[in-house]
Amino acid sequence: MLKEIRPAIVFIVALTIITGLIYPLAMTGIAGVIFPSQAQGSLIEKDGKVVGSTLIGQSFTSDKYFHGRPSATTAPDPKDPTKSIAAPYNAANSGGSNLGPTSKALADRLKEDVDTLKKENPAAAVPVDLVTTSASGLDPDISPAAALFQVPRVAKARGVPEDRLRTLVANETQGRWLGLLGEPRVNVLKLNLALDALKS
Amino acid sequence: MTLIGWVQIILYCAIIVALTPLLGAYMTRVFNGERTFLAPVLRPVERLLYRVGGVDETSEQGWLAYTVAMLLFHVGGFVILYALLRFQGALPFNPAEQTAVPPDLSFNTAVSFLTNTNWQNYGGESTLSYLVQMLGLTHQNFLSAATGIVLAVALIRGFARASAKTVGNFWVDITRCTLYILLPVCVVFTLFLVWQGIPQTLGSYVDATTLEGAKQSIAVGPVASQVAIKMLGTNGGGFFNANAAHPFENPTALSNFVQMLSIFVLGAALTNVFGRMVGNQRQGWAILAAMGVLFLAGVVVCYWAEANGTNILNSLGLSGGNMEGKEVRFGIVASALFAVITTAASCGAVNAMHDSFTALGGMIPLINMELGEIVVGGVGAGLYGMLLFVIVTVFVAGLMVGRTPEYVGKKIEAREVKMAMLAILILPLMMLGWTAIGVVYPPAVASMANAGPHGFSEVLYAYTSMTANNGSAFAGLTGNTLFYNLSGAVAMFIGRFWMIVPAMAIAGALAAKKSVPPSLGTFPTTGGLFVGLLVGVILIVGGLTFFPALALGPIVEHLAMLAGSTF
C-alpha cells in the first residue's frame, strides 16, 4: 500500500492541474477567439449599453411589450437574508417552481392566471406555456401561439394594426432545427426589440 | 404524443447504436495499451506522468492493489475539493465574491462529486467561485468518470482473462482514460457548446438594463468546459442551479440533442468493449439489447404521461401537455426523453424540473434509479452494475436446469453470486432505510416542499438519487440542512463504494479461474431468451423491492389526481 502513495500524490496533483486548470483556461482562450460573442453570453447592446442576453429571458409587465412565461426565480429578502422573496427572471439564481402535479398552490396560481388572460383575449384558447413557469425561470422563448395570443393587447397599447404585429411574430418565429429537433418558438426579447424598432 | 416526437426518439436510439461499435473499438485499443492516432501529442505527457509517479506501465496489479490505489486517489481528490470549498473566499477567480461554503455543505458537496453523484444542495451561480467550479468540480467530473470506466474495464478483464493474478494497472488505466478518451472529446464538445451559445469566460456577472428599465444581473462563467465533461462523464452537476434547463447550459434544441447523446455514448460503447475483450461482440450486443428494452419502456410511459398533462391543467382547458417546469425550446418530448436518459444513466443533469412532472412521468426516473441505473448507466458503473445482474441471471438459469452456471467461459460459483447480491442489496437498504427516517424525523419533514403523497415522493427520490449516484432531484426539497447534508453523504458514499468493492472482488476471482469451452449444456448468453431472462430478473428484483414504496408515492398520487384531489 505504501508503494501506491507516491503515484497517488503525483497523479492527483498532475491530473487536477491538467483537467481543472489547463483544460478550462485553454478552452476559455480558444473560445474567446473563435466565438467571442457566445463566449461572453450572447449579449445585446443598444446605444452602448447592455440590455440583456438573447438567451436569457427578462421580465416584461407593460402592456406595450410581449410578455414571457411566468418565472419562479427568487432572491434573498433584503430585510432578512435567511428568507427569499419572488424575483422573476433573476439571472443570478435560476430555478423552477417545483410544484407537483397535485399541488393546491399550483392549481390556484394557474386558475388566477388563466382568468386574467381570458379577460385580456376572450377569443383565443390560453396557451399552456403562458401560464406555466419554466424549469430555469429564465426561459427566453414562448410558443408562437403564446405570442399571437398577446397581439390584440399589444396592438391596442401601441396603436398599431394587429396584422402588422402578426407579421412581426411570424418573422421572429424560429422553427425546429432542420425541421426535426425541438419546438417552434419566439424569442421574447428579440421580438420586443423588433417591436420597438417598428415605430421609427 | 406526436409523430415528430417519435421520430426524435428513434433518431436518438439509432445514433447511439451506430456510435457504439466505433467508440467501442477505439476504447478497446486504449485499454489494451495500443497506439492511437492521438499518440504523437499525448504519449510524451503520458510517459512523463509515469516517470514522475514512479509507475512501471508494464507491471499490473491484483484486484486488491487496484482497488487500494483507486481509494487512495479518492482520498486526495476529497481533500483538495473540501479545502477549495472552505477557502474559496480567499482564493482567486472569484469575481462574484462568494464566501466560504459551510462545513456540512462542503462535506456533502465533496462526497457528491467524488462519487460521481453530483447531488447539489447549493445553487452554483449563487454559491461557488469560478476557481471552485474549475479546479474543484470540473476536475472531479473527469476523475470520477474515469474511475467508473477503469473499474468496469478491470471487471471486464476479469471475465476475459484465464488463470490470471492481475486485472490491470490503475494508474495506467486512469491516465489513458483521461488523456485519450475524455479530454479529446471534451475539447471538441466544448467548442461545439460555445458555438451553440454556452458562455466560456472568466469575466464577472453582467449587469444589464432591461427594455423596461429594470436591472438584471446575468451570471456567466467558464460554463461550456464544465458542461462538456458533466454530460460525457454522466456526472450531471450543473454550473447553474437550474442545470441543463438553464439557457446558458443548454441553449438550443441541437445542444440538447447532442448533450443527450453524450450521456449515453460512453456507457453504450463499454458494452461493445466488453464484447470485444471477451472475444464475442454479440455478448456486448445482448447486454445493450436488454438495456434498450428497459429504456424504451421507460420512454413510452414518461412521454405518454407528460403529453397527457395533469387534471389541473386539463380542467382549465390548457392543452399541449404538462409544461410546468419545462422549457419551450425543448417541449414535452425532449424533456421526457432527457429525464429518462439522465436517470437511466447515472447522469442526473435535468433539462426540466422532475418535481413538477406528472405522478407517473416522475415515477419513471425513480424506477430507473431504483433498478441500479443499469440501463446504459453511469460511465462504467452502469456496466458493472449490469454485469452483477447478469451473474444473478445466469445463476437463476443454472438453478432451473441444475447445472453450474457459466458466463463467457467462466464458471459462476458461490463467491461471485454472494458478492453480486451484497452489492445489489445495499441499494434498497440505503434508499428505503433513509427514506423511512426522512419522513418521520421532524427536522427532515420540514424540508418537504409539496404536501400529500408528493412530499413522500420528494424524500424517496432524494435518497434513491443519492444512493444510485445520480444527482437529479425532486428539487423542491430543501436539501441544504444538517440532516440531509450528512445522511446524503453517507448514502452517496455507501452507494458508490459498496458496489465497487464487491465488483472488484468478483473481478479478481474471475480472472483467477480457468476458462471452460462452451459445451452443449451451456446456456447461450447472446440470444433473445437470455435478454428476456435478464430483463425479467432485473424487474422482479426491482419490482419486489420497491413496489410498496412506489405505491405510497407516485401511484397513490396518480389515483388522487384522477379523483380530482389537490394537497
Side-chain angles (χ1 to χ4, degrees):
Chain A
M1 186 174 155
L2 284 175
K3 127 179 180 303
E4 306 292 353
I5 289 186
R6 175 175 160 199
I9 294 170
V10 170
F11 280 84
I12 194 74
V13 171
L15 290 176
T16 300
I17 292 170
I18 292 173
T19 61
L21 276 182
I22 297 175
Y23 158 72
L25 294 180
M27 296 320 294
T28 307
I30 297 168
V33 173
I34 308 181
F35 306 111
S37 163
Q38 291 100 314
Q40 298 301 318
S42 310
L43 304 173
I44 306 179
E45 288 189 14
K46 202 177 156 190
D47 310 326
K49 276 188 185 157
V50 178
V51 296
S53 160
T54 48
L55 293 174
I56 302 294
Q58 47 184 250
S59 179
F60 289 102
T61 52
S62 152
D63 280 353
K64 295 168 75 174
Y65 283 117
F66 286 92
H67 300 173
R69 305 177 63 192
S71 163
T73 57
T74 60
D77 188 342
K79 288 174 215 135
D80 178 3
T82 59
K83 296 202 174 83
S84 57
I85 51 167
Y89 289 94
N90 179 358
N93 189 20
S94 54
S97 74
N98 287 311
L99 295 173
T102 53
S103 158
K104 189 163 187 319
L106 177 62
D108 294 346
R109 193 199 80 207
L110 286 170
K111 183 158 186 342
E112 201 184 313
D113 288 359
V114 167
D115 287 347
T116 313
L117 285 172
K118 273 191 175 151
K119 271 178 219 146
E120 182 189 310
N121 183 354
V126 177
V128 66
D129 59 305
L130 212 49
V131 289
T132 47
T133 61
S134 62
S136 62
L138 304 173
D139 197 336
D141 303 312
I142 51 178
S143 65
L148 291 172
F149 183 90
Q150 301 181 54
V151 162
R153 185 197 73 226
V154 178
K156 200 174 150 205
R158 295 211 170 220
V160 183
E162 291 190 12
D163 280 349
R164 253 187 107 186
L165 292 188
R166 286 205 191 90
T167 315
L168 193 71
V169 168
N171 290 343
E172 291 293 325
T173 300
Q174 278 181 282
R176 295 186 168 91
W177 188 76
L178 294 184
L180 193 63
L181 298 182
E183 300 292 334
R185 60 193 204 268
V186 182
N187 184 299
V188 182
L189 179 57
K190 282 191 196 162
L191 176 64
N192 283 331
L193 282 167
L195 193 61
D196 278 347
L198 264 189
K199 282 184 291 188
S200 52
Chain B
M1 297 196 278
T2 59
L3 179 65
I4 201 145
W6 287 109
V7 172
Q8 293 182 46
I9 292 168
I10 292 163
L11 182 69
Y12 176 82
C13 296
I15 294 177
I16 289 292
V17 170
L19 286 173
T20 294
L22 300 177
L23 205 60
Y26 176 74
M27 288 169 76
T28 308
R29 288 184 71 86
V30 169
F31 289 111
N32 282 342
E34 294 167 38
R35 215 179 144 78
T36 72
F37 71 100
L38 291 165
V41 188
L42 295 174
R43 184 69 186 148
V45 182
E46 191 191 350
R47 291 172 70 123
L48 179 71
L49 277 173
Y50 298 149
R51 202 161 67 231
V52 180
V55 168
D56 173 8
E57 61 177 309
T58 56
S59 88
E60 292 205 343
Q61 298 159 318
W63 77 270
L64 197 58
Y66 197 98
T67 311
V68 167
M70 181 273 297
L71 291 173
L72 278 175
F73 189 64
H74 279 69
V75 172
F78 177 86
V79 170
I80 291 176
L81 180 49
Y82 185 80
L84 281 169
L85 288 162
R86 295 290 293 134
F87 295 115
Q88 73 167 355
L91 296 168
F93 295 119
N94 187 8
E97 296 178 359
Q98 311 286 10
T99 53
V101 181
D104 59 323
L105 181 55
S106 298
F107 179 68
N108 184 281
T109 306
V111 172
S112 174
F113 279 77
L114 200 70
T115 55
N116 198 260
T117 310
N118 298 25
W119 175 268
Q120 294 171 294
N121 277 341
Y122 62 90
E125 68 269 46
S126 57
T127 316
L128 299 182
S129 72
Y130 294 166
L131 186 79
V132 173
Q133 296 269 24
M134 295 191 295
L135 198 56
L137 304 188
T138 302
H139 123 256
Q140 245 346 300
N141 277 343
F142 271 97
L143 301 190
S144 64
T147 300
I149 294 173
V150 305
L151 291 171
V153 169
L155 180 58
I156 293 172
R157 290 191 185 118
F159 280 104
R161 291 177 177 182
S163 314
K165 288 197 171 67
T166 61
V167 293
N169 183 321
F170 176 76
W171 306 114
V172 173
D173 285 345
I174 198 101
T175 306
R176 289 183 70 86
C177 182
T178 308
L179 292 184
Y180 289 94
I181 298 171
L182 299 178
L183 259 179
V185 180
C186 279
V187 167
V188 179
F189 195 14
T190 301
L191 291 177
F192 165 79
L193 292 172
V194 177
W195 172 55
Q196 285 295 300
I198 300 190
Q200 179 71 24
T201 172
L202 295 173
S204 50
Y205 293 2
V206 178
D207 285 317
T209 309
T210 69
L211 290 192
E212 292 194 340
K215 296 277 172 213
Q216 188 182 36
S217 171
I218 301 176
V220 290
V223 187
S225 57
Q226 185 167 333
V227 169
I229 186 61
K230 149 200 163 193
M231 308 311 282
L232 188 71
T234 62
N235 295 283
F239 192 96
F240 301 108
N241 190 40
N243 210 303
H246 195 296
F248 274 165
E249 279 199 52
N250 199 355
T252 63
L254 179 61
S255 73
N256 186 63
F257 193 75
V258 177
Q259 288 191 21
M260 290 194 295
L261 288 173
S262 68
I263 298 177
F264 264 6
V265 72
L266 290 183
L270 274 168
T271 62
N272 187 259
V273 174
F274 174 74
R276 284 174 196 271
M277 285 192 172
V278 299
N280 180 358
Q281 287 193 50
R282 291 184 60 191
Q283 300 284 2
W285 287 115
I287 290 178
L288 192 63
M291 294 171 167
V293 170
L294 292 164
F295 172 66
L296 284 173
V299 170
V300 170
V301 175
C302 191
Y303 182 26
W304 167 80
E306 293 309 303
N308 263 0
T310 66
N311 250 30
I312 298 177
L313 291 166
N314 296 338
S315 66
L316 289 168
L318 297 163
S319 60
N322 177 22
M323 282 300 288
E324 179 71 16
K326 294 190 179 63
E327 302 278 304
V328 165
R329 62 193 178 284
F330 309 137
I332 300 290
V333 66
S335 301
L337 183 59
F338 196 108
V340 180
I341 293 168
T342 196
T343 51
S346 84
C347 184
V350 295
N351 79 347
M353 290 300 145
H354 293 186
D355 213 348
S356 296
F357 270 40
T358 61
L360 295 183
M363 184 174 74
I364 297 301
L366 203 47
I367 292 176
N368 274 337
M369 295 185 293
E370 284 167 346
L371 296 180
E373 291 172 341
I374 35 70
V375 181
V376 178
V379 285
L383 185 69
Y384 59 70
M386 189 58 146
L387 288 173
L388 297 176
F389 272 109
V390 167
I391 287 173
V392 175
T393 303
V394 294
F395 173 67
V396 169
L399 284 180
M400 286 194 237
V401 294
R403 278 179 56 104
T404 308
E406 292 163 21
Y407 184 60
V408 293
K410 289 296 171 77
K411 277 198 181 340
I412 303 296
E413 290 164 301
R415 180 179 162 87
E416 288 79 51
V417 177
K418 278 184 202 160
M419 285 294 162
M421 282 318 294
L422 190 63
I424 289 171
L425 285 176
I426 197 69
L427 293 178
L429 181 67
M430 283 290 119
M431 291 172 183
L432 300 176
W434 282 116
T435 302
I437 298 171
V439 294
V440 292
Y441 179 55
V445 172
S447 285
M448 293 181 205
N450 283 277
H454 201 76
F456 174 80
S457 298
E458 284 181 341
V459 179
L460 178 64
Y461 196 103
Y463 286 110
T464 302
S465 170
M466 290 189 282
T467 307
N469 298 142
N470 184 274
S472 68
F474 272 15
L477 186 85
T478 306
N480 187 17
T481 65
L482 190 64
F483 174 76
Y484 272 102
N485 278 332
L486 297 184
S487 64
V490 171
M492 291 187 282
F493 189 84
I494 303 269
R496 175 82 165 174
F497 293 103
W498 202 296
M499 188 104 168
I500 283 177
V501 176
M504 289 302 291
I506 292 175
L510 287 174
K513 287 181 196 235
K514 287 198 286 274
S515 190
V516 283
S519 67
L520 269 179
T522 305
F523 177 48
T525 51
T526 53
L529 183 63
F530 170 74
V531 171
L533 197 61
L534 178 57
V535 170
V537 166
I538 291 166
L539 289 178
I540 290 166
V541 171
L544 287 181
T545 317
F546 292 103
F547 184 75
L550 292 173
L552 287 174
I555 293 174
V556 81
E557 187 181 20
H558 180 70
L559 297 175
M561 183 192 84
L562 292 181
S565 312
T566 53
F567 299 92

